[in-house]
């Protein structure tokens, strides 16, 4: 079982010719409203990849509530541990340009009311996976790690969006997932002089005895740590929108761990899912299912 402790939102997505610079206004012909949030995206990605998943977080009672929950409901994610918040459901505002690159800002709302104590009411068991991101109150993440490790649960943290992490929490992780920017920011926090994200990931893996994965966009992903060193490519895809690529990677990778795949096999599953998620506009509508992932695994060079 995968338990995701994290964020969910309603995403307002507009397609524009180019992303705005500071002080610039750009226009698009229309917008769509779709379910999103890193926690919810990763929960649905893991469920679509074939894993049993529960979501633990918080949602408001406003008009965006049902939209934020709808993708996970359709995907079979267990939502019984969700909490009600007096704050508004989180919203993300996303601009996507003609090359599929995006600009995102998030109004956190109810996400900041997610509490690690909610995990005490679910049946975490040895061998389960706890999946975390950084869109909830950071201190609650560190409490969630303590709860999970006390029960023999494997902990995976996607350090996105990047933020500081206490070194004692870092030492409790089993897997850390970062992109190039997040690797650089964490390396700076830890006082590492190297600027190369792969070198940073290798150093973190060695110093903190964990598997550190750095995602490299079109260049795929690299993994360093006790499970070994691995390099996986991405698929050749005509990119429409990269919004959920990282979340698709993390969710499908976590599903691989839950399915007892090897680290390399789980990385390959994540790389395929992340690539396929770039084919459509929006976060959750673009996430591939288990059959789609399996059909493209052989396409990785």
């Amino acid at each position: 079982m995968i338990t995701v402790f994290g964020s969910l939102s309603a995403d307002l997505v507009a397609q524009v010719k180019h992303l705005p610079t500071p002080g610039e206004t750009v226009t698009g012909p229309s917008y769509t409203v779709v379910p999103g949030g890193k926690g919810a995206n990763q929960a649905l990605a893991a469920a679509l990849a074939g894993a049993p998943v529960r979501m633990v977080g918080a949602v408001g009672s406003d008009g965006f509530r049902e939209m934020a929950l709808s993708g996970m409901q359709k995907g079979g994610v267990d939502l019984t541990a969700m909490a009600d918040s007096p704050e508004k459901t989180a919203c993300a505002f996303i601009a996507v340009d003609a090359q599929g690159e995006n600009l995102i800002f998030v109004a956190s709302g109810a996400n900041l009311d997610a509490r690690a104590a909610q995990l005490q009411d679910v049946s975490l068991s040895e061998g389960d996976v706890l999946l975390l991101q950084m869109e909830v109150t950071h201190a609650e993440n560190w409490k969630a790690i303590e709860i999970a490790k006390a029960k023999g649960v494997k902990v995976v943290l996607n350090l996105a969006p990047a933020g500081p992490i206490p070194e004692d929490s870092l030492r409790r992780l089993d897997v850390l997932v970062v992109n190039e920017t997040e690797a650089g920011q964490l390396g700076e926090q830890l006082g590492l002089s190297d600027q190369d994200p792969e070198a940073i990931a290798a150093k973190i893996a060695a110093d903190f005895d964990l598997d550190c994965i750095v995602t490299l966009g079109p260049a795929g992903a690299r993994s360093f740590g006790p499970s070994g060193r691995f390099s996986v490519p991405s698929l050749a895809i005509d990119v429409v929108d990269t919004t959920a690529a990282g979340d698709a990677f993390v969710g499908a990778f976590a599903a691989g761990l839950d399915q007892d795949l090897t680290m390399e096999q789980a990385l390959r599953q994540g790389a395929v899912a992340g690539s396929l998620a770039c084919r459509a506009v929006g976060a959750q509508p673009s996430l591939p299912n288990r059959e789609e992932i399996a059909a493209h695994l052989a396409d990785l060079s």
Side-chain angles (χ1 to χ4, degrees):
M1 166 70 79
I2 296 173
T3 298
V4 179
F5 177 68
S7 60
L8 66 161
S9 66
D11 290 359
L12 284 73
V13 185
Q15 292 185 284
V16 296
K17 290 183 178 179
H18 67 273
L19 300 179
T21 57
E24 180 185 14
T25 297
V26 298
T27 62
S30 63
Y31 69 94
T32 57
V33 184
V34 295
K38 284 190 172 297
N41 294 347
Q42 293 178 14
L44 181 57
L48 291 175
V53 182
R54 72 165 63 92
M55 179 72 193
V56 178
V59 66
S61 59
D62 54 282
F64 282 131
R65 175 191 180 100
E66 292 307 316
M67 172 57 69
L69 294 170
S70 62
M72 291 186 292
Q73 287 173 330
K74 293 175 183 176
V77 176
D78 181 350
L79 300 176
T80 56
M82 289 294 300
D84 294 319
S85 167
E87 301 298 326
K88 293 179 180 179
T89 301
C91 280
F93 305 87
I94 305 172
V96 182
D97 69 13
Q99 287 72 47
E101 294 298 326
N102 59 62
L103 183 154
I104 304 172
F105 61 97
V106 179
S108 296
N111 285 335
L112 299 183
D113 281 340
R115 294 291 178 263
Q118 293 169 246
L119 294 171
Q120 302 285 15
D121 298 326
V122 301
S123 54
L124 293 176
S125 302
E126 187 172 352
D128 284 357
V129 175
L130 176 67
L131 180 55
L132 307 167
Q133 317 78 35
M134 297 286 282
E135 287 186 331
V136 299
T137 303
H138 293 175
E140 296 301 317
N141 267 344
W142 318 145
K143 293 176 185 177
I145 293 171
E146 292 182 11
I147 292 169
K149 297 309 293 183
K151 297 186 177 184
V153 173
K154 184 175 294 185
V155 180
V156 179
L157 172 66
N158 178 208
L159 198 72
I165 174 173
E167 291 192 25
D168 60 340
S169 296
L170 194 54
R171 292 185 190 282
R172 292 188 177 101
L173 297 179
D174 295 281
V175 182
L176 174 69
V177 185
V178 292
N179 65 18
E180 295 169 87
T181 300
E182 293 150 6
Q185 293 182 359
L186 181 56
E188 184 176 350
Q189 176 200 322
L190 297 173
L192 303 182
S193 59
D194 207 308
Q195 301 298 308
D196 177 69
E198 294 182 49
I200 293 170
K203 178 65 172 171
I204 290 171
D207 287 353
F208 293 92
D209 191 30
L210 52 78
D211 287 300
C212 187
I213 299 166
V214 57
T215 59
L216 303 168
R222 310 286 183 269
S223 176
F224 307 86
S227 298
R229 292 194 174 204
F230 303 102
S231 176
V232 296
S234 61
L235 294 175
I237 292 290
D238 291 328
V239 174
V240 174
D241 179 8
T242 61
T243 300
D247 293 334
F249 176 97
V250 173
F253 166 79
L257 294 185
D258 186 69
Q259 294 155 353
D260 292 326
L261 299 184
T262 66
M263 175 62 71
E264 184 175 20
Q265 289 170 331
L267 286 168
R268 290 175 68 85
Q269 180 163 285
V272 169
S275 299
L276 294 177
C278 297
R279 300 173 301 173
V281 173
Q284 293 180 23
S286 70
L287 298 174
N289 60 35
R290 187 175 191 173
E291 290 73 23
E292 291 175 298
I293 295 170
H296 288 276
L297 277 171
D299 296 337
L300 286 184
S301 57

